[in-house]
Amino acid sequence: MDRQRLLSGTHHDPHAVLGAHADPGGTAFVVLRPYARAVALLTGERRVELNDAGDGFFSGVLPLDAMPEYRLCVTYDGSDVAYEDPYRFLPALGELDLHLIGEGRHEELWKALGAHVMTHQGVPGTRFTVWAPHARGVRVCGDFCRWDGAAYPMRSLGSTGVWELFVPGIGEGALYKFDITRPDGTRTLRADPMARRTEVPSATGSVVAESSHVWADAEWMAHRADRPVCQAPFSAYEVHLASWRPGLSYRRLAVQLTDYVRDAGFTHVELLPVAEYPFSGSWGYQVTGFYAPTARLGTPDDFKYLVDTLHQAGIGVILDWVPAHFPKDDWALAAFDGEHLYEPADPRRAEHPDWGTLTFDYGRKEVRNFLVANATYWCEEFHIDGLRADAVASMLYLDYSREDGQWAPNESGGRENLDAVAFLQEMNATVYRRCPGVFTIAEESTAWDGVTRATHDTGRDGLGGLGFGMKWNMGWMHDSLEYIKRDPVHRKYHHNEMTFSMVYAYSENYVLPISHDEVVHGKGSLVSKMPGDWWQQRASHRAYLGFMWAHPGKQLLFMGQEFAQGAEWAESHGPDWWLLDPAYPAEPDHRGVLQLVRDLNHEYRSAPALWERDTDPAGFSWIAADAAEDNVLAFLRFATDGTPLLAVCNFSPVVRHAYPLGVPDAAMVWREALNTDLACYGGGDVRNPGPLKSEPETAHGRPDCLRVTLPPLATVWLRPA
């Protein structure tokens, strides 16, 4: 029976049969080497031929009282190959690891599961471990055995569902998969869910990885927690690495992307998902290798080099992270061991209707552990500074994109996915506890209460906050884009779309996103959304950026929009860099917008009023919120020490001379700090050239009045002289 189970790949304890075992005649040896012509035992200086027992089994008994150290010499078609016997080794995974895995509390799961190069019992090799609790048997196979796992059955370790095998002589770069026998006896070949490196898609193999990168960002890491992110300057450049400049590897990006972002003045880059994904058209949002940076651009160490280089330049790195769903590829996570493992068994919860994918079973402790550990993995192993969780709303609601009858309520009869809430709370609490200075961001498109509230604060709903550090402000994005795309003559009827965001601006800690989602699928680029001729479009584009950088909240801008690219983004070609070529006739149009973004970031960093009190209502005050007829918005921002910055936006195409603005201090002299209409940006160069002093005249309910020239379709920032 043991023989048949080993041959069929359904033996849960091959080490009980294979290897060396005490025998009445001494020590018995059993070896399984399919396709071998002969197998000899090498112990000391002795060579003992084992008997061919058929079906690839070789056996023999030596009159030895103690278990010897030995090697195998296997003959294939006349050539001899020497091996260490994998079945003479004790388990290479400790009892504490197994206990934590069983509890769903292994916060360093990537160190326990997957493929790990190590020296075990004095012999170098690789430990393979995989969680497959429903499997009747698991074998590891790869290029080291011509993808036939018959000689490498794994053992089941207790009741945890973990299978393990230490394979001597296997090292970095080896390709492998797991050959799993399902409960119904059929077999499936699966990539390692915990693989830290993969083949380049469309190949689907996992790769044994060992890091040799030496980090040089100690200063960055030591100080990134000095100031809470909500009280620090934060303007992020969102990048799809594969198309930013197509053909660049991680290491070439480390040079070119770092130089570009540093020159443009952004504080952070936010990377569209880097975890391995099979379909390029998903932009990385359908992940199959949650622990492996995509091999399209290089190795995991190459990706570390990119992060390291950005850090040394003073630039933080945010990673888009996708815990909401995964694709159905039959070599990846779906029905991994023949049963619903990572996905719920109930199809009403498992199917993600928007993307044809599967959702995670957040109620299963091992699945929660897989995802929570994954979040900390990127932060600890790759020094990532922030995680932006994608599609959080689709996780929170059981009826998300589902019609009546297509979803089942929770135990209280509600539509909230309580398991997903608990998972997000655990993830955030773990990341903030383990990784000082790291922050999390939620892409959450509903009015869920307490996305950025602490997990211990129950609030109105009694569920507790989700614990994110920040949340994308989708309402601001939608409303402001709806306003700015209208012809100026109609904007006065939609003035509230620019002011409404301040009603809820302090309900969460917000990021203002103009992301990839807003410049694809027929939506047009940011500049192409603007009405009017090309001059007016660029002017509105610049004015909008000036408004965005002055509004409470942090900024995020997708690549290409920083130089007013006119075409939509496509992952096949990326930004139109030729627009910045000095030889291009319209070059000032685009280089001017890029210069504005540089100056926005420079002035923003130098003005604590724009970032110190982003989450404090006392850091903001309207001056003109109701000037709808003029298409004018004016407001004050205040630093912690009270230093103000005055932002004025004129979204009409006419110059407004000596426009009255109520200000709080008659003795204060103001100077123009930024003007989006300057000629160097491509504007008409209407300015306030000298110092401006207020007069004792009532305006906007204030006792003093400052008269400012407002350029057409422009934003002006004024600071105390």
Side-chain angles (χ1 to χ4, degrees):
M1 181 177 289
D2 281 334
R3 172 187 286 247
Q4 186 55 42
R5 290 169 61 198
L6 284 167
L7 291 174
S8 64
T10 58
H11 206 297
H12 74 286
D13 188 14
H15 292 70
V17 180
L18 303 176
H21 300 275
D23 183 86
T27 301
F29 297 87
V30 179
V31 175
L32 175 57
R33 285 287 160 174
Y35 316 113
R37 298 297 183 97
V39 176
L41 197 70
L42 307 177
T43 174
E45 296 183 358
R46 297 180 61 187
R47 177 187 174 108
V48 179
E49 298 292 333
L50 297 181
N51 299 317
D52 187 343
D55 296 326
F57 286 92
F58 297 83
S59 63
V61 179
L62 294 183
L64 301 171
D65 294 333
M67 297 292 178
E69 290 190 3
Y70 66 93
R71 301 183 77 209
L72 303 174
C73 183
V74 183
T75 302
Y76 296 101
D77 295 326
S79 63
D80 289 350
V81 182
Y83 294 99
E84 294 280 356
D85 185 0
Y87 298 95
R88 78 173 182 85
F89 294 90
L90 297 170
L93 192 65
E95 289 297 325
L96 178 59
D97 287 314
L98 290 172
H99 172 75
L100 293 173
I101 291 169
E103 292 288 314
R105 296 290 180 183
H106 203 309
E107 294 182 358
E108 296 180 338
L109 189 66
W110 66 93
K111 295 182 179 179
L113 297 181
H116 289 267
V117 178
M118 63 190 306
T119 297
H120 182 45
Q121 294 178 212
V123 177
T126 295
R127 182 195 69 202
F128 295 94
T129 45
V130 64
W131 178 59
H134 302 113
R136 292 178 60 187
V138 182
R139 301 186 283 199
V140 64
C141 62
D143 57 359
F144 50 87
C145 62
R146 299 188 179 183
W147 295 99
D148 186 335
Y152 295 100
M154 303 174 73
R155 62 180 149 202
S156 176
L157 298 179
S159 60
T160 60
V162 174
W163 300 76
E164 180 265 357
L165 183 67
F166 174 74
V167 182
I170 303 300
E172 182 183 12
L175 302 180
Y176 72 99
K177 282 188 177 182
F178 295 113
D179 181 352
I180 298 172
T181 302
R182 301 180 178 105
D184 64 2
T186 61
R187 290 166 55 191
T188 180
L189 196 60
R190 299 289 174 139
D192 182 1
M194 301 292 299
R196 290 171 293 151
R197 183 180 170 190
T198 71
E199 288 187 280
V200 178
S202 59
T204 58
S206 302
V207 182
V208 176
E210 187 176 28
S211 178
S212 60
H213 180 77
V214 179
W215 289 94
D217 63 348
E219 183 176 359
W220 171 271
M221 296 294 286
H223 293 288
R224 70 178 182 180
D226 287 353
R227 186 196 298 266
V229 67
C230 289
Q231 300 170 20
F234 180 108
S235 61
Y237 183 57
E238 191 186 30
V239 178
H240 179 251
L241 285 176
S243 69
W244 184 72
R245 284 183 179 162
L248 296 189
S249 65
Y250 290 128
R251 288 186 179 268
R252 291 180 66 192
L253 283 162
V255 177
Q256 296 190 31
L257 179 62
T258 300
D259 287 347
Y260 185 82
V261 173
R262 177 169 48 193
D263 177 68
F266 290 97
T267 65
H268 293 75
V269 293
E270 180 171 322
L271 308 179
L272 269 63
V274 168
E276 193 59 272
Y277 55 101
F279 176 49
S280 295
S282 79
W283 313 331
Y285 289 98
Q286 295 196 6
V287 178
T288 49
F290 281 80
Y291 284 79
T294 179
R296 292 170 174 85
L297 307 179
T299 68
D301 273 4
D302 294 337
F303 180 60
K304 289 180 179 180
Y305 182 84
L306 169 60
V307 176
D308 203 349
T309 304
L310 287 162
H311 280 174
Q312 291 175 59
I315 300 164
V317 182
I318 306 162
L319 197 63
D320 269 17
W321 183 57
V322 192
H325 64 126
F326 58 92
K328 297 179 179 179
D329 300 73
D330 60 7
W331 50 267
L333 294 183
F336 181 76
D337 59 2
E339 298 286 350
H340 300 289
L341 190 62
Y342 289 91
E343 71 274 19
D346 186 343
R348 294 174 297 178
R349 294 197 178 189
E351 293 287 332
H352 201 301
D354 284 355
W355 301 306
T357 53
L358 296 171
T359 64
F360 282 100
D361 185 355
Y362 305 108
R364 184 161 193 159
K365 62 182 184 297
E366 298 94 340
V367 175
R368 266 200 324 271
N369 193 176
F370 173 81
L371 292 171
V372 171
N374 186 244
T376 59
Y377 167 77
W378 290 103
C379 300
E380 295 186 10
E381 294 293 323
F382 292 92
H383 291 196
I384 297 300
D385 305 293
L387 295 173
R388 176 262 193 188
D390 181 65
V392 170
S394 74
M395 301 166 64
L396 292 174
Y397 299 98
L398 296 168
D399 62 346
Y400 185 88
S401 287
R402 294 172 172 87
E403 303 294 334
D404 290 343
Q406 295 179 337
W407 63 283
N410 61 35
E411 54 263 39
S412 301
R415 58 196 285 254
E416 300 83 9
N417 188 335
L418 302 180
D419 292 332
V421 171
F423 154 66
L424 292 170
Q425 291 172 329
E426 181 182 349
M427 180 277 296
N428 280 311
T430 304
V431 166
Y432 277 93
R433 171 171 51 82
R434 288 184 63 102
C435 310
V438 169
F439 53 88
T440 59
I441 307 171
E443 185 211 15
E444 203 286 308
S445 54
T446 75
W448 184 279
D449 182 43
V451 173
T452 60
R453 198 170 63 229
T455 57
H456 61 267
D457 184 350
T458 57
R460 298 191 307 269
D461 55 18
L463 294 177
L466 296 183
F468 284 96
M470 291 184 285
K471 171 182 172 175
W472 272 19
N473 193 334
M474 309 296 279
W476 171 88
M477 177 273 297
H478 176 271
D479 289 349
S480 63
L481 290 180
E482 282 295 307
Y483 174 88
I484 202 68
K485 75 180 184 182
R486 300 181 187 278
D487 189 283
V489 74
H490 300 301
R491 284 175 178 166
K492 64 183 177 180
Y493 303 111
H494 301 273
H495 194 74
N496 65 304
E497 291 173 349
M498 293 295 267
T499 59
F500 181 66
S501 59
M502 290 311 303
V503 173
Y504 60 87
Y506 302 103
S507 61
E508 303 278 7
N509 305 332
Y510 282 118
V511 174
L512 311 179
I514 299 299
S515 73
H516 63 281
D517 281 332
E518 308 317 313
V519 296
V520 293
H521 300 325
K523 296 179 182 177
S525 66
L526 181 58
V527 73
S528 70
K529 299 178 193 297
M530 309 299 170
D533 59 23
W534 179 231
W535 191 96
Q536 291 176 313
Q537 284 184 304
R538 285 183 297 118
S540 290
H541 180 99
R542 296 191 305 267
Y544 182 82
L545 293 179
F547 165 72
M548 175 180 175
W549 255 249
H551 191 284
K554 310 306 183 183
Q555 293 76 41
L556 178 136
L557 190 65
F558 185 60
M559 63 186 196
Q561 314 318 302
E562 77 278 11
F563 60 85
Q565 172 172 318
E568 276 193 346
W569 170 66
E571 78 278 356
S572 58
H573 62 75
D576 292 332
W577 295 110
W578 55 272
L579 293 171
L580 297 176
D581 189 334
Y584 176 61
E587 166 267 324
D589 296 353
H590 301 280
R591 292 180 71 88
V593 176
L594 180 58
Q595 183 59 52
L596 169 65
V597 171
R598 290 191 189 101
D599 292 348
L600 281 169
N601 280 324
H602 174 77
E603 290 296 329
Y604 170 78
R605 285 181 186 238
S606 69
L610 293 177
W611 42 264
E612 269 189 338
R613 301 171 82 179
D614 269 328
T615 60
D616 179 1
F620 177 91
S621 178
W622 279 114
I623 291 177
D626 57 357
E629 290 292 331
D630 298 334
N631 293 347
V632 169
L633 298 165
F635 52 87
L636 288 165
R637 299 292 306 278
F638 297 98
T640 301
D641 64 3
T643 302
L645 181 142
L646 170 57
V648 192
C649 307
N650 177 19
F651 289 114
S652 62
V654 297
V655 180
R656 300 193 183 279
H657 296 282
Y659 194 84
L661 296 170
V663 290
D665 189 342
M668 188 172 289
V669 177
W670 301 78
R671 65 172 179 83
E672 195 173 83
L674 183 131
N675 182 336
T676 66
D677 189 55
L678 295 187
C680 62
Y681 305 147
D685 219 31
V686 176
R687 305 185 181 210
N688 293 274
L692 301 174
K693 191 173 186 304
S694 58
E695 303 168 358
E697 176 185 346
T698 302
H700 300 107
R702 299 177 187 269
D704 297 289
C705 177
L706 187 70
R707 294 192 175 274
V708 181
T709 296
L710 304 184
L713 298 175
T715 294
V716 175
W717 294 357
L718 300 167
R719 295 174 68 176

